[in-house]
Each structure stands twice: as structure tokens, then as C-alpha cells.
Amino acid sequence: MLDRVLEWGCRPDLEHTGQVGSALLSGAEELSPLNNRPDETRSQAAGDPAADLCRRLGVVAESAGQVIVLHARGEIDAYTLPRWRTLLESAVPESAAGGHLVVDLHEVTFLSVRAIMVLAELAEQLDRRGIETHIADGRAAKTIARVIDLADMTEWVSIHRDLDKALAATAAPRSDT
């Protein structure tokens, strides 16, 4: 069981100012609803790109010991890619060496190839720090695996059909080559 739940990314109290924070919010705070319908998203965030990014891409982080789980929700496309990169890069503290990052994509409604590549590039960097990266997404597991294979990055990322399998893999002994 994961022992800490945090909302990562936008702070609801800053959304109206247009500031995108990287603050962690306690799990007790209410999460803002995600709106994936572009026509409604644009009208709600008229003139406020930061708030629009918060609505289109959200991440909730959980941790237990050496395992960090990021639950992403929304769209990861060219528009939200810089936020995606920032959220991923900020997720793993320097002290996490020897741990695991699990990225749960089951609530992602769109995932671009570039978003997969950003994740794979981060996995390569984390591997140098002794941190294994796991992706959980049953719907797109084959597609993600194909992109990572074509990019010759399978060494750094393991892909699982669901979150339970990804978490089980974090308990297995590290497979160093």
C-alpha cells in the first residue's frame, strides 16, 4: 500500500492568477475536475493558458518507500508536452536512488509519440541514478512498447498491462545486465 498521496502540478489557489506551480498538495485537498473536451476547455480558460494546461493534464503522485507512482490524467500532446516533461522531471527526488518510478497512464485520453519519447529519455536518465521506470497502461501497452522498441530504449523502460503488474515488478530483484 502506498503511504503518501499528493497532487502534483497546479495549485487551485493559483489557477486564477495564471501561475503554474510545482507545489505538492496534500491528498486531502479536493482535486479540480478534468475536462478533456477541447471546446469547453478553451471557453473555460479563455485567456489563461496556465489554467488550461492544469485542466488538460494532471498528475497525482503516490509514494511508499522507494516506489513513486505517477497517475497521469488527460491529454499529453504538443500543447501539454512541456508540462508533462516538467512533471516527470520533478517527480523523482535525488534521494530516490535504488527505487522505482511507475507511470500509470490508464486515465490518459491521448498520448503522443513525443510524450512517450520524453518518458523514455527520462527513464534513461533515471537508470543512471539506479532508478527503474515502469509504465502501466493496458490499452496502449503494445503501442508504447513499439515506439520504445523503435527508439531502441527498451533497456530503460518496462511496460505493464496494469498498475498491479507494474507494482509487482517493483518488488522483484533488479535485473542488471
Side-chain angles (χ1 to χ4, degrees), residues 20-161:
V20 177
S22 59
L24 296 175
L25 304 176
S26 75
E29 295 185 47
E30 186 174 325
L31 305 180
S32 58
L34 177 67
N35 181 347
N36 287 322
R37 295 173 56 186
D39 54 335
E40 291 180 18
T41 302
R42 277 194 292 275
S43 65
Q44 287 180 359
D48 193 352
D52 186 38
L53 281 173
C54 292
R55 279 188 276 284
R56 290 185 59 188
L57 176 60
V59 173
V60 174
E62 295 181 285
S63 70
Q66 293 291 92
V67 178
I68 298 169
V69 180
L70 296 181
H71 302 279
R73 66 177 193 263
E75 301 171 355
I76 309 172
D77 55 17
Y79 180 68
T80 59
L81 189 64
R83 177 169 162 72
W84 174 243
R85 182 185 308 274
T86 300
L87 290 168
L88 288 173
E89 290 173 350
S90 303
V92 184
E94 292 297 320
S95 62
H100 301 269
L101 172 64
V102 177
V103 181
D104 177 10
L105 299 174
H106 87 274
E107 289 188 47
V108 170
T109 57
F110 180 82
L111 182 67
S112 72
V113 170
R114 188 63 195 137
I116 297 169
M117 293 305 300
V118 165
L119 183 53
E121 291 163 4
L122 174 70
E124 180 180 10
Q125 295 168 11
L126 292 177
D127 186 67
R128 286 188 224 125
R129 291 177 35 205
I131 300 167
E132 289 188 34
T133 303
H134 308 270
I135 298 173
D137 186 3
R139 298 165 302 161
K142 288 183 181 179
T143 304
I144 294 169
R146 179 82 171 128
V147 170
I148 289 174
D149 183 48
L150 288 171
D152 198 27
M153 299 185 123
T154 56
E155 178 180 344
W156 299 291
V157 181
S158 62
I159 301 163
H160 309 275
R161 291 203 164 280

